[in-house]
Amino acid sequence: MNKDIATPSRTKEILKKHGFSFKKSLGQNFLTEPNILQKIVTTAGIDAQTNVIEVGPGIGALTEHLARAAHQVLAFEIDDRLISVLADTLSPYENVKVVHQDVLKANLVQEAEYFDQAGPLKVVANLPYYITTPIMMHFLDSELPVDEMVVMMQREVADRISAEPGTKAYGSLTIAVQYYMEATTAFIVPKTVFIPQPNVDSAILRLVRREQPAVTVTNEKEFFRLTKAAFALRRKTLWNNLLHSYGKDEISRAWLEKSLEQAGIDPKRRGETLSLEEFANLSNALEANKPIREE
Ligand code: SAM
C-alpha cells in the first residue's frame, strides 16, 4: 500500500514540493490524521461496489482512502493550483477522476456518467465551510440518486441539520435536509488534526436517504416556503411570521386562521416548536384553503 498522504510530515512535504500556500477564501483546512480518514470511510460503509463523489479533494488526503475502499471516486476541486498536485499524489489510483470545477456549477447527473457500473452512490467530503449549506442543497435538489452523505462541516451546522423540534438549533435547514434524509452526527473532530487549524469545531454528519420523504405534502414548494416563513423572524410567534410572509389583508388572515385551525396548531406557538408532521399538516391545509384572488 502507498504511504499515506495525510500524515502531518507527508502533507508538509507535498505542500513544500509544490510551493502551495493555503487560500482561506476557499475554506482550505486539510486533514492530517489517517485514523480519522479511515473512520470516515468506515462510517460511510464504503465497499468495492460503492461509487463515491467527493467535494474538494485538496491534496488528496481523503480521496486516497476512498479510492482504496470504493469502486470509483469522482472528485470536484475548484482550485487550479491543486489539479497538478492531485495528478501527482493520486497517480497510484486508477479509479479516481478529478474534475476541475466549482461543484455548485457542476451538472452532477452528467458528471456522474463517469461511474462505469451501478452501485450505491455516496457523497463523502471534508466540505469547504464557507459554502456548506449551498453544497448540501445542490446535492439534495439535484436529480442524482444519492443514497448517503457522510460529510464534515462546522459542528454548529451539523447540530442545526440534525436538530430536534423545540431546540434552538432547529430551523428551516433542519427541515430542508430531514425531509429527504435521516440525519445523525457520527462523531466530533478536533481542530488539531487540520493544517491550518480552523477556528471552529468540526463534526461528521451522516445522512441516509429515506425511502420516502419524511412527511406527505401536496405541494413541496409551498411546504418549503412555509417552513422558511415560520422561522423568518425567530423571536416572533408563528402567527406574526405567517402574516409577515403571506399578507396581512382580510383574505390572508381568514385563510391563515382557517388553515391553522384545521391543522390543530395554536397560532401563538413559535415556529421552532412545530414538528415536520405539523408543518406538513399546515402546508396541506394552506393548499386546500388557498383563496382565489381576483387579478
Ligand atoms: N479533502 C481535503 C482534506 O480533507 O484534507 C481538503 C478539504 S478542504 C476543507 C476544502 C476543499 O474544497 C479545498 O481543497 C478547496 O480548494 C475546495 N473547494 C472550495 N470551494 C470549492 C468549490 N466551490 N467547488 C469545489 N471545491 C471547492
Side-chain angles (χ1 to χ4, degrees):
M1 194 173 284
N2 298 291
K3 226 169 45 166
D4 270 334
I5 295 170
T7 60
S9 59
R10 177 104 201 275
T11 298
K12 282 182 192 141
E13 192 185 299
I14 294 167
L15 297 177
K16 196 168 164 210
K17 178 176 168 193
H18 293 272
F20 183 82
S21 53
F22 293 96
K23 267 197 192 147
K24 216 175 167 190
S25 61
L26 290 180
Q28 291 177 338
N29 301 94
F30 295 170
L31 270 166
T32 58
E33 174 50 78
N35 290 332
I36 298 227
L37 293 164
Q38 205 39 54
K39 209 165 154 189
I40 295 174
V41 172
T42 309
T43 301
I46 293 166
D47 62 21
Q49 266 64 53
T50 314
N51 293 320
V52 177
I53 298 184
E54 188 191 0
V55 178
I59 59 169
L62 175 60
T63 326
E64 147 178 277
H65 284 258
L66 295 170
R68 286 178 190 153
H71 173 58
Q72 286 176 310
V73 182
L74 178 67
F76 294 93
E77 176 56 64
I78 198 172
D79 189 343
D80 47 343
R81 301 168 309 152
L82 289 169
I83 303 304
S84 53
V85 182
L86 288 163
D88 178 16
T89 57
L90 297 178
S91 61
Y93 304 98
E94 281 172 6
N95 58 342
V96 178
K97 180 182 176 187
V98 174
V99 181
H100 179 203
Q101 201 181 7
D102 175 350
V103 70
L104 296 178
K105 296 199 180 123
N107 180 333
L108 297 171
V109 173
Q110 205 174 310
E111 295 293 345
E113 283 172 13
Y114 161 69
F115 298 119
D116 65 10
Q117 89 184 21
L121 178 60
K122 305 193 177 183
V123 176
V124 185
N126 170 15
L127 294 174
Y129 292 178
Y130 73 108
I131 43 169
T132 304
T133 306
I135 293 176
M136 302 291 291
M137 296 320 295
H138 187 50
F139 278 99
L140 292 178
D141 290 343
S142 82
E143 301 281 305
L144 206 63
V146 175
D147 297 299
E148 200 170 320
M149 297 177 82
V150 172
V151 279
M152 174 131 70
M153 58 185 65
Q154 307 92 299
R155 187 175 182 173
E156 181 249 323
V157 179
D159 286 346
R160 276 165 52 201
I161 292 176
S162 58
E164 301 278 342
T167 60
K168 236 171 99 185
Y170 182 72
S172 57
L173 178 63
T174 318
I175 298 167
V177 177
Q178 289 193 14
Y179 180 73
Y180 302 106
M181 318 284 276
E182 244 173 280
T184 44
T185 298
F187 58 97
I188 305 300
V189 180
K191 292 176 194 173
T192 48
V193 298
F194 298 90
I195 299 184
Q197 287 192 19
N199 300 324
V200 291
D201 284 330
S202 302
I204 298 285
L205 185 77
R206 179 163 180 249
L207 302 174
V208 180
R209 165 97 48 195
R210 300 177 192 274
E211 272 182 29
Q212 281 180 1
V215 287
T216 309
V217 294
T218 46
N219 184 332
E220 276 186 3
K221 221 174 122 209
E222 288 298 324
F223 171 69
F224 291 122
R225 178 185 169 202
L226 168 66
T227 61
K228 281 210 182 98
F231 293 99
L233 307 164
R234 204 73 211 193
R235 294 216 290 264
K236 300 267 181 184
T237 59
L238 182 62
W239 178 247
N240 279 325
N241 270 312
L242 293 179
L243 287 185
H244 182 74
S245 298
Y246 290 83
K248 294 188 171 77
D249 57 281
E250 278 305 303
I251 295 176
S252 299
R253 281 172 186 271
W255 173 41
L256 293 170
E257 246 165 36
K258 186 173 173 194
S259 304
L260 281 159
E261 198 186 316
Q262 267 181 14
I265 295 167
D266 180 348
K268 291 199 285 296
R269 286 171 62 184
R270 288 179 202 276
E272 65 260 33
T273 68
L274 269 68
S275 65
L276 257 74
E277 284 77 18
E278 288 178 309
F279 273 118
N281 290 342
L282 180 54
S283 173
N284 292 344
L286 286 168
E287 275 299 288
N289 300 321
K290 206 171 215 163
I292 300 158
R293 297 183 195 253
E294 285 169 23
E295 288 298 305

